[in-house]
Amino acid sequence: MKEELKLAYEIFDSSEALQEEDKKLVEEARAITANAYAPYSNFFVGAAAILSNGQIIKGTNQENASYPVGTCAERVLLGTAAVMYRGMPIKTMAISYDNKNGESNHPISPCGMCRQALKEFEDRTGKPMRLILTGKTGKVIVLDKAVFLLPLSFGSSDLK
Ligand code: THU
């Protein structure tokens, strides 16, 4: 038997086409790229999220001279959310970047490790997290749930 999985997402020509709250979040994600610590890759990533209580929090990538120690913007944000607002679901997270070595005109998508972390954040809060994927300019992708990016995923239920 063959199974097929479909990925549902929305795509917009630019952030101008987004609803107000999403547009604001994209602006915050783009602005916070300036606070990234990315002296090795020169790839400055910013994430901004709105929690279910309306609070906005942010994250940026934090690199290290010992390269594998570096952490992505998304996981920095998730850690902040879990510590500062324990148990609070994230409604929407916007992710943007500023590539100092090249273009920043297409959406980026979270790396595999971040997808796993995003999925578990959804599991532990019991709520889907919308994702908005952007660059400094250009098209914008919106997903209704982070787990859409990690089909057939591993999770805590597998450890039972
Ligand atoms: N990075 C993120 O912070 N988020 C992503 O979604 C993709 C990659 C960071 C990791 C590293 O500091 C730099 O971007 C280049 O890979």
Side-chain angles (χ1 to χ4, degrees):
M1 194 171 73
K2 208 169 202 172
E3 295 281 346
E4 224 175 283
L5 292 168
K6 284 189 181 165
L7 172 63
Y9 62 91
E10 285 179 284
I11 184 150
F12 299 87
D13 277 339
S14 89
S15 58
E16 287 306 309
L18 297 173
Q19 62 189 63
E20 248 353 273
E21 187 177 284
D22 289 351
K23 205 193 294 183
K24 180 165 185 278
L25 223 46
V26 165
E27 281 161 15
E28 301 267 16
R30 286 175 178 162
I32 204 66
T33 59
N35 285 15
Y37 178 67
Y40 306 105
S41 70
N42 271 322
F43 196 82
F44 287 54
V45 184
I50 183 160
L51 308 182
S52 61
N53 67 353
Q55 180 73 39
I56 289 180
I57 57 167
K58 297 164 198 175
T60 59
N61 53 333
Q62 301 295 316
E63 297 188 347
N64 193 282
S66 174
Y67 291 3
V69 175
T71 310
C72 294
E74 296 91 325
R75 276 175 295 129
V76 169
L77 188 155
L78 291 182
T80 302
V83 171
M84 303 291 289
Y85 301 92
R86 189 160 77 112
M88 184 84 64
I90 292 176
K91 187 177 163 196
T92 308
M93 184 192 298
I95 303 157
S96 187
Y97 67 101
D98 182 4
N99 179 9
K100 306 282 189 196
N101 293 333
E103 306 279 6
S104 310
N105 57 7
H106 66 275
I108 52 159
S109 199
C111 78
M113 195 183 275
C114 286
R115 291 175 194 216
Q116 184 73 26
L118 291 162
K119 173 227 166 0
E120 182 128 352
F121 197 92
E122 286 186 328
D123 288 347
R124 67 196 263 199
T125 59
K127 289 275 192 261
M129 187 193 313
R130 294 174 65 245
L131 290 183
I132 307 177
L133 312 179
T134 71
K136 270 171 82 174
T137 57
K139 291 194 193 309
V140 179
I141 288 174
V142 180
L143 297 131
D144 284 342
K145 292 180 185 185
V147 74
F148 283 176
L149 291 178
L150 200 66
L152 304 180
S153 54
F154 178 78
S156 61
S157 59
D158 295 305
L159 296 174
K160 288 191 179 130

